[in-house]
Amino acid sequence: MTSWRILIKMMMKMNTSADVGIIESVQLKNFMCHSMLGPFKFGSNVNFVVGNNGSGKSAVLTALIVGLGGKAIATNRGSSLKGFVKDGQNSADISITLRNRGDDAYKASVYGDSIIVQQHISMDGSRSYKLKSAAGTVVSTKKEELVAVLDHFNIQVDNPVSVLTQEMSKQFLQSKNEGDKYKFFMKATQLEQMKEDYSYIMETKERTKDQISQGEERLAELKQQCLEKEERFQMIAGLSTMKNDLECLKREMAWAVVNEVEKQLNAVRDNVKIGEDRAAKLDRKMEEQQVKLNEIEKKYKDIQDKLEKISQETIARAPECMVLKEDVIAKKRVYSEAEVFYKCSVNEFKVLKKDNDQLCKKIEELKRSADQSLEPEQLERQNRISRLKERVKALQDQESSVNQEMEQFQQAIEKDQEEHGRIRTEELDVRHTLSYNQKHLKELKDSRTNRLRRFGPQIPALLEAIDEAYRRGQFTHKPIGPLGMCIHPRDPTLALAIESCLKGLLQAYCCHNHADEVVLQRLMGKFGLRGASRPQIIVSEFWHELYDVRHRAANHPEFPTVLTALEIDNAIVVNGLIDMRGIETVLLIKNNCVARAIMQSRKPPKNCREAFTAEGDQVFAERYYSSEYRRPRFLSKDLDSEISYLENEVENKKAQIVSFQQQLFALEKDVKRNEEFLRQCQLHCKELQMKIRKCISEIRELENIKVHPPVDIATLEDEAEENKIKIKIMAENLEQEKENVEHLRILQIEAENKYDAIKLKINQLSELTEPLKDELNLVDTEVDKQKRGKRNYEEKQKEHLATLNRKKRELDMKEKELEEKMSQARQICPERIEVQKSASILDREINRLRQKIRAEHASHGDREEIVRQYQEAKETYLDLDNKVKTLKRFIKLLEEIMTHRYKTYQQFRRCLTLRCKLYFDNLLSQRAYCGKMNFDHKNETLTISVQPGEGNRAAFNDMRALSGGERSFSTVCFILSLWSIAESPFRCLDEFDVYMDMVNRRIAMDMILKMADSQRFRQFILLTPQSMSSLPSSKLIRILRMSDPERGQMTLPFQPVTQEEEEN
């Protein structure tokens, strides 16, 4: 009793019930021996149906099996459904309500919170179904819908774990046969159904294999018959086929000749079309070139206008600059004179003030000697004031000195910081140069084994990628480059001059068209050559003949042009450099002075636009630009000398950086030291100012004390008074002179600022001219380039038009030939046919077929019968062959699936066996029993051995040796073990405690309630003849107590022994 109450309290705390699949109510009418039973409701967890034998307990259980679609034989109460109809009645009705709530509800929008299953059983043994919603609406009358509901809720009415009747218990559990227990375990866990399915599939597989063997034998026979029929068919059809083929070949031959002429005509027409497109393209390019030329000439004129405007503005500002400069000189002179006069006045003022001080001192001495009657206190005060004034003057002198020191330290700090910034800028420039030299040095050292590395470390790999892409057909023509690898100076001393002229073109590449350019750009991108670092790509159709530039090339008897100074084997490279740089118009003159004299004379060499010196300087007719290079980078042949030079440069730059760092360190140290001195001076100055303020305050306090007037010393005092007036007047004059000097200084500064501003503006205008001049040179070069390009296109267009006219004449001849061939073909075959073979092949086939027809003499038979037999044999063979192949594929797939599923079945069976043993041992231990279960899957037996009490654990007894109560308790443990491993929303157990004594019944009841507590999502329906009066009332446990029916009673009385009639 106590343990039950504890379990009930635990169940009350866990107020969680199942949502789907449990039985809410059952109602029977004319079922078995009962006219009306119910309706009554079950609780969601534990339900006890109690009553004496014949009260209707088993009828409720039987109705659950039958009402949910179970067979009559599964109830062990009859072999036919008509046996469940009450004697004297025509039919029986069963109504079962299943819960349908929560997320797992079945068609919740259709059925609602409940599904009502109604079954009507007729006298003849037939039955019909109605599935209603919670509102009573009929949803379906098909058994398939009921099966779907049961599958969704996992309800298995024929599974003894779900519903265990007395007869099923006697058949399996009370049986002494170990095989029956094994069958009960297999049926409860549905392993038996899986095993039967597996056996059926294997039998089907064997039958299918037999069919395949028979089919293969029949297939061989049909194949032989088909070959025989085909041979006869070929013999009878061969001659007529060959004659028809001969006629077809003749017609094809006529049109094949036409096709060949058309192909030739199309080829010529395509050539003409390509030529016309190329002519149009050349026209467009000439127009584009003219547009570019007009644009660049306009740009050239705009730059010239800008230069002229800047020059005029500079000239216009020159007079103003001269006037401002003279004004600055005049104001400097006035300021200097005023400053000298002011300093003289200051010196005179100091002398007068010093004389006055001495006179005042003398008066004081006379006063002290004349008046000895002054009180000691007054004398002491006057002495104190005098000492304080002297101290104030001394402190002010110190303050002035400290301020001068602070100004000196501040100037020193600013000067050091300015020098530090200048040295830092120089250091960064040297570091940049060092980095460039180190990179160049590495490239030169790498180029000892591979000269390509001079042009960049990734260039060898790029050229390999270009070769690979060309082999794959990605380029129309293989790109050429870098161009610096294709040229060699005849004179090594001119290498720097040539590099200064060509610059970035040495690293450039030539492409035949824009499609090749796109592929090359993609390859360059893979090696990190993007943006500004990507070499220039020159796109121009490859022309393998050198341009004729004799009429526009520069010519000098002493000095070569860049074109003649280079050895270049590739005409494409030469033409590209002529187009891009005009190397035929650039002279190379080693000496700078000679270059200036020749280029800047009144008559420079004909066709010569510019010249370069051996030092890389660029010389124009009116301009001269120094080279930014000192050594050649790509064209030098003396590699060791270049490496040695660069190594020395690197060491020099490193030494410069070390020197700069030392200077920076010294400057930073000086700045810190001066800043510290400045801070100390500032602190000292603050201290002096505080002392001065303190002394002045004390003087004022002493002077405010009343004293008697001093003794009158008339003459000296008058003189002193006159001196004071003079000092005052002179001080005012000095102040005016100081203001005048300051005013003159400001005027001088303003004049200097105006002069500096106009001078800066003139310098800025001069600086603006330099980039414009450079741009003018570049634009001038571009103008020449565009003119050469235009002349080049005009020459190409002239040659191309001559070739195009020849192709047009050839086209006219081919069109006439085609008309003749088509006229001949229409005489043989009026309608044109498509021909795939050439005329020569068709001619050989016609001759071979004619010989075969003359040699072939076949016997004639029934042609239609032979054709029909051949078609039938062929269709029969193909149909059977397809069926045999399909069955073989099916058998192979089936074997793979069944091998995997049988392994899964064995693993699943092993897991269920282990779980069942574990739960069984655990349940037995609650009564201090020991036991074991031995599964023999091979012989299909289950042996259960139990040892009551502690006893000798090694001496297990067979269940047959146990008492009735102990055997019933062990049986309950076995059933509960199966409950723990099987899935079902409800459990029904009929008279589980009929053979138990009170102790075993209580323990079994504890075990069932504990399991119900742990499985709150399942429903338990327990049928027992016991009264269960010892159970306390609880809304989680419902007891349905059924009374014995009286004679003539139509409805069995029952009442739920719970505190609530219904569950929410």
Side-chain angles (χ1 to χ4, degrees):
M1 287 294 294
T2 303
S3 60
W4 290 355
R5 288 192 178 94
I6 293 172
L7 288 173
I8 290 169
K9 290 180 180 179
M10 293 172 62
M11 293 165 66
M12 290 288 289
K13 292 178 181 178
M14 299 177 58
N15 190 13
T16 304
S17 61
D19 289 331
V20 295
I22 66 171
I23 300 170
E24 292 185 339
S25 66
V26 177
Q27 183 176 2
L28 309 178
K29 181 180 178 181
N30 298 330
F31 189 77
M32 296 179 68
C33 60
H34 306 283
S35 299
M36 182 68 69
L37 192 61
F40 54 90
K41 298 183 178 180
F42 289 104
S44 62
N45 193 230
V46 180
N47 299 272
F48 289 97
V49 182
V50 301
N52 295 325
N53 292 334
S55 62
K57 300 190 303 298
S58 299
V60 174
L61 196 63
T62 303
L64 285 176
I65 297 174
V66 175
L68 294 177
K71 297 179 180 178
I73 195 171
T75 65
N76 292 316
R77 294 296 184 106
S79 59
S80 175
L81 291 176
K82 62 184 180 180
F84 295 117
V85 180
K86 185 180 178 181
D87 293 340
Q89 300 296 328
N90 294 325
S91 62
D93 293 296
I94 303 172
S95 178
I96 301 173
T97 304
L98 301 177
R99 181 171 293 178
N100 187 46
R101 303 177 186 170
D103 296 336
D104 295 331
Y106 178 79
K107 296 182 180 179
S109 61
V110 178
Y111 286 98
D113 292 341
S114 300
I115 298 177
I116 302 172
V117 182
Q118 292 184 350
Q119 185 175 155
H120 180 79
I121 303 175
S122 302
M123 193 62 189
D124 58 358
S126 62
R127 59 181 172 185
S128 60
Y129 296 95
K130 287 184 180 180
L131 275 76
K132 297 182 177 180
S133 65
T137 305
V138 177
V139 177
S140 177
T141 58
K142 296 181 180 180
K143 186 178 180 181
E144 290 78 7
E145 180 70 6
L146 175 61
V147 172
V149 172
L150 298 178
D151 288 343
H152 184 78
F153 294 155
N154 197 25
I155 296 175
Q156 307 155 13
V157 293
D158 57 345
N159 191 334
V161 171
S162 297
V163 181
L164 182 60
T165 63
Q166 296 181 36
E167 289 74 10
M168 183 70 70
S169 175
K170 291 176 183 178
Q171 179 182 353
F172 291 105
L173 300 177
Q174 305 299 330
S175 175
K176 298 179 181 179
N177 189 344
E178 295 174 349
D180 290 341
K181 290 186 178 65
Y182 184 83
K183 290 179 181 178
F184 181 77
F185 168 77
M186 296 290 285
K187 187 173 183 65
T189 56
Q190 291 187 294
L191 291 171
E192 182 179 13
Q193 182 64 38
M194 295 173 65
K195 183 179 178 183
E196 290 175 357
D197 293 343
Y198 180 77
S199 300
Y200 174 76
I201 292 172
M202 297 307 291
E203 291 174 2
T204 303
K205 186 186 76 171
E206 294 301 324
R207 290 195 298 270
T208 305
K209 284 185 176 180
D210 294 339
Q211 293 178 5
I212 290 173
S213 299
Q214 295 174 4
E216 288 177 340
E217 294 176 359
R218 176 62 180 161
L219 194 64
E221 296 176 359
L222 289 176
K223 185 176 182 180
Q224 184 62 33
Q225 293 177 6
C226 186
L227 291 174
E228 293 175 357
K229 301 292 184 184
E230 183 179 9
E231 185 177 358
R232 291 185 61 193
F233 172 76
Q234 294 293 341
M235 290 176 64
I236 195 66
L239 184 60
S240 59
T241 301
M242 285 188 289
K243 290 180 180 179
N244 293 333
D245 290 344
L246 181 60
E247 293 300 322
C248 290
L249 288 174
K250 288 179 178 179
R251 290 191 294 271
E252 289 181 3
M253 182 64 180
W255 287 106
V257 174
V258 173
N259 287 346
E260 290 189 354
V261 176
E262 283 182 342
K263 287 180 181 179
Q264 295 173 3
L265 177 62
N266 290 334
V268 177
R269 187 178 288 120
D270 291 341
N271 288 335
V272 172
K273 181 66 170 58
I274 292 172
E276 291 175 346
D277 292 342
R278 178 169 171 75
K281 184 177 179 182
L282 287 172
D283 288 337
R284 288 195 300 273
K285 285 188 176 182
M286 287 173 63
E287 292 174 359
E288 293 173 0
Q289 200 73 21
Q290 184 63 45
V291 171
K292 290 180 180 179
L293 181 60
N294 294 337
E295 291 176 354
I296 202 69
E297 287 178 345
K298 183 178 181 302
K299 186 176 181 181
Y300 182 84
K301 186 177 182 303
D302 292 342
I303 295 172
Q304 281 185 329
D305 293 341
K306 287 181 181 179
L307 285 172
E308 182 65 25
K309 184 178 179 182
I310 292 171
S311 177
Q312 291 176 358
E313 188 175 355
T314 303
I315 294 170
R317 290 181 181 271
E320 184 182 0
C321 182
M322 293 298 295
V323 171
L324 290 175
K325 184 176 181 181
E326 292 174 357
D327 185 49
V328 168
I329 294 171
K331 287 183 178 178
K332 276 186 178 181
R333 184 172 61 253
V334 173
Y335 170 71
S336 299
E337 292 174 354
E339 188 177 18
V340 170
F341 181 75
Y342 173 71
K343 288 181 179 180
C344 293
S345 298
V346 169
N347 292 333
E348 185 179 350
F349 176 75
K350 288 181 179 179
V351 171
L352 180 60
K353 192 174 181 182
K354 183 177 179 183
D355 293 342
N356 185 60
D357 291 340
Q358 290 176 356
L359 179 61
C360 291
K361 186 175 181 183
K362 185 176 181 181
I363 292 171
E364 291 295 328
E365 290 176 355
L366 291 173
K367 284 181 180 181
R368 282 197 298 271
S369 62
D371 191 4
Q372 298 296 329
S373 63
L374 291 175
E375 295 178 1
E377 181 181 353
Q378 183 179 358
L379 291 174
E380 178 63 26
R381 186 169 59 253
Q382 290 177 353
N383 293 333
R384 177 64 177 166
I385 290 172
S386 298
R387 288 195 300 272
L388 287 174
K389 288 182 177 180
E390 292 176 358
R391 178 167 175 75
V392 168
K393 186 176 184 307
L395 291 173
Q396 288 176 344
D397 292 340
Q398 291 182 23
E399 182 186 9
S400 176
S401 177
V402 171
N403 286 331
Q404 290 178 359
E405 291 180 358
M406 288 170 58
E407 185 176 357
Q408 291 174 358
F409 287 134
Q410 185 65 41
Q411 291 176 356
I413 290 171
E414 293 175 356
K415 182 178 179 182
D416 289 343
Q417 288 177 343
E418 182 180 354
E419 182 67 13
H420 185 279
R422 184 186 63 78
I423 295 175
R424 173 65 69 184
T425 303
E426 292 181 2
E427 183 197 13
L428 292 176
D429 293 340
V430 172
R431 285 185 181 276
H432 178 72
T433 305
L434 175 62
S435 175
Y436 175 80
N437 289 340
Q438 286 176 334
K439 180 181 178 182
H440 189 195
L441 180 61
K442 184 178 183 304
E443 292 175 354
L444 287 177
K445 288 182 177 180
D446 292 342
S447 66
R448 282 176 169 172
T449 55
N450 190 345
R451 184 168 174 255
L452 284 171
R453 292 187 177 274
R454 282 196 182 188
F455 300 90
Q458 57 277 76
I459 297 303
L462 173 62
L463 293 183
E464 291 179 1
I466 291 173
D467 292 338
E468 180 63 25
Y470 180 67
R471 284 194 294 272
R472 293 179 179 178
Q474 296 180 11
F475 288 110
T476 307
H477 292 280
K478 179 180 174 182
I480 300 172
L483 300 186
M485 285 294 296
C486 305
I487 65 177
H488 305 282
R490 301 179 187 274
D491 185 353
T493 60
L494 294 176
L496 179 58
I498 294 172
E499 283 196 16
S500 298
C501 176
L502 299 181
K503 296 182 179 178
L505 290 174
L506 293 171
Q507 296 175 278
Y509 292 77
C510 290
C511 285
H512 177 69
N513 52 37
H514 289 288
D516 289 352
E517 180 191 15
V518 172
V519 177
L520 182 58
Q521 286 179 351
R522 186 169 64 250
L523 291 177
M524 288 180 175
K526 291 181 179 179
F527 293 95
L529 298 173
R530 301 184 183 89
S533 64
R534 193 189 74 190
Q536 182 179 355
I537 300 176
I538 303 170
V539 181
S540 178
E541 184 178 354
F542 285 177
W543 189 263
H544 295 281
E545 295 181 4
L546 286 174
Y547 291 160
D548 185 4
V549 295
R550 289 174 293 180
H551 61 284
R552 64 172 185 265
N555 187 12
H556 194 277
E558 297 182 26
F559 306 112
T561 62
V562 176
L563 176 61
T564 57
L566 290 174
E567 292 182 2
I568 309 176
D569 297 332
N570 194 325
I572 296 172
V573 175
V574 177
N575 295 339
L577 293 177
I578 291 173
D579 288 337
M580 298 302 295
R581 191 62 182 86
I583 58 175
E584 78 281 9
T585 64
V586 182
L587 286 178
L588 298 178
I589 305 171
K590 294 183 179 181
N591 188 275
N592 296 352
C593 298
V594 175
R596 283 177 181 269
I598 292 175
M599 293 300 299
Q600 296 179 357
S601 62
R602 293 184 178 180
K603 291 184 179 180
K606 184 181 178 182
N607 295 331
C608 178
R609 295 186 303 106
E610 56 186 308
F612 283 88
T613 69
E615 296 178 358
D617 296 344
Q618 188 176 14
V619 186
F620 290 93
E622 298 179 357
R623 299 178 302 279
Y624 185 94
Y625 297 100
S626 298
S627 174
E628 58 183 4
Y629 303 105
R630 292 292 176 264
R631 308 278 293 188
R633 179 179 177 184
F634 302 108
L635 301 179
S636 175
K637 294 183 178 180
D638 190 356
L639 191 60
D640 293 334
S641 174
E642 289 297 321
I643 292 174
S644 175
Y645 171 78
L646 278 178
E647 287 176 344
N648 292 334
E649 282 293 310
V650 168
E651 292 301 324
N652 291 337
K653 296 303 178 185
K654 288 181 178 179
Q656 288 183 22
I657 291 172
V658 172
S659 175
F660 284 144
Q661 290 176 343
Q662 291 174 353
Q663 295 178 39
L664 291 173
F665 178 75
L667 288 172
E668 290 169 359
K669 186 176 180 181
D670 288 343
V671 169
K672 290 181 180 178
R673 184 175 65 254
N674 290 331
E675 287 177 346
E676 180 63 25
F677 288 154
L678 179 61
R679 188 181 64 80
Q680 292 175 1
C681 289
Q682 289 171 345
L683 293 174
H684 190 197
C685 184
K686 289 181 180 179
E687 292 175 358
L688 292 173
Q689 289 173 354
M690 290 177 63
K691 290 178 181 179
I692 291 170
R693 286 195 297 270
K694 185 177 180 182
C695 291
I696 292 172
S697 178
E698 188 175 353
I699 290 169
R700 288 175 181 172
E701 290 177 359
L702 292 172
E703 288 178 345
N704 288 334
I705 298 174
K706 292 183 179 180
V707 294
H708 296 285
V711 179
D712 186 14
I713 303 175
T715 305
L716 294 176
E717 287 181 348
D718 291 341
E719 185 178 355
E721 188 65 26
E722 291 177 0
N723 288 338
K724 287 181 180 179
I725 294 172
K726 289 180 179 179
I727 290 171
K728 183 178 180 182
I729 295 171
M730 187 171 289
E732 292 175 355
N733 293 335
L734 281 176
E735 187 66 26
Q736 291 178 358
E737 291 178 6
K738 184 178 180 181
E739 291 177 357
N740 184 40
V741 170
E742 182 64 22
H743 176 67
L744 292 174
R745 188 180 68 83
I746 292 172
L747 292 177
Q748 177 187 339
I749 292 172
E750 291 177 353
E752 288 177 347
N753 291 338
K754 290 180 180 179
Y755 173 69
D756 291 340
I758 192 68
K759 189 175 180 182
L760 177 62
K761 184 65 177 177
I762 292 173
N763 291 336
Q764 289 176 347
L765 291 173
S766 299
E767 291 175 357
L768 288 175
T769 59
E770 294 302 324
L772 287 174
K773 289 177 180 178
D774 295 339
E775 187 177 1
L776 186 66
N777 293 332
L778 294 176
V779 172
D780 187 24
T781 303
E782 186 67 19
V783 168
D784 291 342
K785 175 185 171 183
Q786 296 299 333
K787 288 180 178 179
R788 289 194 303 272
K790 183 182 178 183
R791 288 195 296 271
N792 183 31
Y793 282 125
E794 290 173 350
E795 293 173 359
K796 289 181 179 179
Q797 180 74 312
K798 183 178 179 181
E799 295 175 0
H800 179 70
L801 290 175
T803 305
L804 181 60
N805 292 330
R806 290 197 301 272
K807 291 180 179 178
K808 286 182 178 180
R809 289 192 293 272
E810 183 180 355
L811 177 62
D812 295 338
M813 296 172 62
K814 285 294 180 182
E815 287 176 348
K816 293 179 181 179
E817 182 181 358
L818 177 61
E819 291 176 359
E820 295 176 359
K821 297 297 182 182
M822 290 187 72
S823 176
Q824 297 173 1
R826 287 193 183 96
Q827 294 177 1
I828 300 173
C829 179
E831 294 184 3
R832 182 164 185 168
I833 57 177
E834 294 294 330
V835 182
Q836 303 296 331
K837 298 178 183 179
S838 64
S840 58
I841 294 175
L842 289 173
D843 185 57
R844 289 195 296 271
E845 289 182 359
I846 289 172
N847 294 331
R848 184 171 58 252
L849 194 57
R850 283 173 177 170
Q851 294 176 1
K852 191 172 182 181
I853 290 173
R854 287 194 296 267
E856 183 67 31
H857 296 283
S859 59
H860 299 281
D862 189 352
R863 176 182 176 83
E864 294 182 357
E865 181 65 19
I866 292 173
V867 171
R868 187 185 61 78
Q869 291 179 359
Y870 168 66
Q871 293 294 339
E872 289 179 355
K874 185 177 180 181
E875 291 175 0
T876 304
Y877 170 74
L878 293 176
D879 182 59
L880 183 58
D881 182 58
N882 185 41
K883 289 180 180 179
V884 170
K885 289 180 179 178
T886 303
L887 288 175
K888 284 182 178 180
R889 288 194 299 271
F890 169 73
I891 290 296
K892 183 179 179 181
L893 180 61
L894 184 62
E895 287 177 348
E896 294 175 356
I897 294 173
M898 292 310 299
T899 300
H900 172 70
R901 297 194 65 170
Y902 186 67
K903 290 180 180 178
T904 306
Y905 162 77
Q906 289 178 322
Q907 184 179 3
F908 181 59
R909 184 180 65 187
R910 181 165 60 255
C911 293
L912 291 178
T913 302
L914 293 174
R915 289 179 62 194
C916 187
K917 288 180 179 180
L918 177 63
Y919 286 120
F920 185 69
D921 291 343
N922 183 40
L923 293 170
L924 286 177
S925 65
Q926 297 183 16
R927 200 180 168 192
Y929 280 23
C930 300
K932 63 179 181 179
M933 303 174 70
N934 292 325
F935 288 89
D936 187 352
H937 297 297
K938 183 176 182 182
N939 297 319
E940 297 184 349
T941 60
L942 170 59
T943 304
I944 302 176
S945 302
V946 178
Q947 174 63 45
E950 295 297 333
N952 183 8
R953 291 181 178 272
F956 290 101
N957 296 327
D958 189 85
M959 289 183 64
R960 291 172 290 185
L962 302 176
S963 65
E966 292 171 343
R967 186 164 58 253
S968 296
F969 172 75
S970 302
T971 302
V972 170
C973 292
F974 180 47
I975 292 173
L976 293 180
S977 301
L978 293 177
W979 279 4
S980 299
I981 64 175
E983 299 292 335
S984 180
F986 59 81
R987 321 287 200 192
C988 297
L989 187 59
D990 189 9
E991 296 191 7
F992 65 96
D993 57 348
V994 66
Y995 297 110
M996 295 185 186
D997 53 22
M998 289 301 296
V999 176
N1000 287 320
R1001 184 179 293 111
R1002 180 179 58 79
I1003 294 173
M1005 188 66 65
D1006 288 344
M1007 296 165 60
I1008 292 173
L1009 290 177
K1010 186 179 292 185
M1011 175 168 287
D1013 178 55
S1014 64
Q1015 300 182 5
R1016 294 297 306 280
F1017 52 88
R1018 291 198 177 96
Q1019 185 183 45
F1020 296 84
I1021 301 175
L1022 307 175
L1023 282 65
T1024 176
Q1026 305 300 326
S1027 64
M1028 292 293 138
S1029 60
S1030 58
L1031 287 175
S1033 297
S1034 170
K1035 67 176 183 180
L1036 300 177
I1037 298 178
R1038 179 165 293 190
I1039 301 175
L1040 299 176
R1041 186 173 286 110
M1042 308 181 72
S1043 302
D1044 295 334
E1046 297 178 1
R1047 186 179 303 277
Q1049 180 177 322
M1050 300 303 291
T1051 303
L1052 284 175
F1054 63 91
Q1055 54 184 355
V1057 188
T1058 60
Q1059 294 178 359
E1060 299 179 0
E1061 291 296 328
E1062 296 181 359
E1063 290 183 341
N1064 294 328

